[in-house]
Amino acid sequence: MTPEEVGERLVALLRAAATEKSADPSALTAGVSGGGQGHERAVVDVPAALWWLAVEAVRDPAALGCDFFDWLSAVDELDEGFTVVAHLWSTRRKHGLLVRTRVPRDNPVVESVVDLFPGAAWHERETHEMFGIGFARHPELRPLLLPPGFEGHPLRKEFLLASRVAKVWPGAKEPGESEAGTAKRAPMRPPGVPDPNEWGPMKGKIPPPEPPARRARPAKEES
């Protein structure tokens, strides 16, 4: 089956279930990922109410036969909530599928698929820990990677990367800087990194960056 056929097949299988679950059938959409010839994957977006049913249909040998659970994670979409993504693969038919759903930011919960794929357990634990997404019916959403007592969810975009303020970043220099010690401009800060002059141990102690020195123009020669 081509990626297009795989996506269309899953959408067709879920249309009847959408009516039963009072989900909007128009929210079922299929597409194809990038990656070049031979690497494309079907991508199917489903309502959160159909998440478990979608994964079950993908696994069903009579439907798509994706017997291998590859991975599950999420994407922070800010005001639009979180996108939960799972990738599954058929070891016999040699086709893969990305299943996606969107959960709201104020109540990010989706049904666990551990009863369908036991290997999904730690993927859901990590996603719960890093994004704060709940997985209903998961047998044990205990911490996986973070130390006891850790507060917050590090992969949410509003999470403050305090270590970038409390400790000098040891990475490469900012663009335009050199070992010769040219005038330093204000460093660029990625999302989630607060201004060290407004937050942290150096608050109010950092002088503004010096403007780069202007090179004098050579005097015009009189003809």
Side-chain angles (χ1 to χ4, degrees):
M1 296 174 72
T2 66
E4 291 83 0
E5 291 171 336
V6 170
E8 291 168 3
R9 174 68 170 152
L10 180 57
V11 169
L13 289 167
L14 292 174
R15 281 204 179 103
T19 303
E20 293 176 7
K21 292 283 187 177
S22 299
D24 181 6
S26 65
L28 288 165
T29 60
V32 177
S33 73
Q37 187 175 4
H39 300 282
E40 305 97 334
R41 295 283 184 272
V43 182
V44 179
D45 291 288
V46 304
L50 300 182
W51 175 250
W52 187 92
L53 289 172
V55 176
E56 182 189 40
V58 172
R59 187 192 67 163
D60 186 356
L64 293 171
C66 290
D67 54 339
F68 177 69
F69 181 91
D70 192 3
W71 54 264
L72 179 148
S73 191
V75 179
D76 187 343
E77 308 286 2
L78 296 175
D79 292 342
E80 297 180 12
F82 299 94
T83 299
V84 181
V85 188
H87 180 254
L88 301 105
W89 177 258
S90 173
T91 57
R92 183 169 65 89
R93 302 177 188 177
K94 307 302 181 186
H95 59 234
L97 178 72
L98 282 165
V99 186
R100 304 187 303 195
T101 194
R102 183 71 57 83
V103 293
R105 198 170 197 86
D106 58 350
N107 185 30
V109 178
V110 72
E111 197 166 2
S112 173
V113 295
V114 169
D115 55 338
L116 298 174
F117 290 100
W122 75 265
H123 296 256
E124 292 182 351
R125 285 171 58 195
E126 180 183 31
T127 304
H128 172 69
E129 191 173 35
M130 294 296 172
F131 292 93
I133 297 171
F135 290 89
R137 299 189 306 105
H138 190 288
E140 193 177 14
L141 279 177
R142 57 189 173 87
L144 179 70
L145 302 173
L146 300 175
F150 188 92
E151 296 182 3
H153 306 289
L155 292 186
R156 287 194 173 198
K157 290 182 178 177
E158 76 269 16
F159 185 82
L160 289 177
L161 301 176
S163 61
R164 293 289 299 269
V165 176
K167 183 178 179 181
V168 176
W169 183 244
K173 289 181 174 292
E174 299 289 346
E177 294 180 34
S178 70
E179 298 295 340
T182 56
K184 185 175 181 179
R185 63 189 177 95
M188 295 183 298
R189 294 192 309 278
V193 179
D195 186 339
N197 205 33
E198 298 177 358
W199 187 93
M202 298 303 292
K203 180 178 179 180
K205 300 178 182 179
I206 302 175
E210 297 179 5
R214 293 180 176 272
R215 296 180 61 182
R217 293 184 178 179
K220 294 180 65 175
E221 295 182 3
E222 297 183 1
S223 57

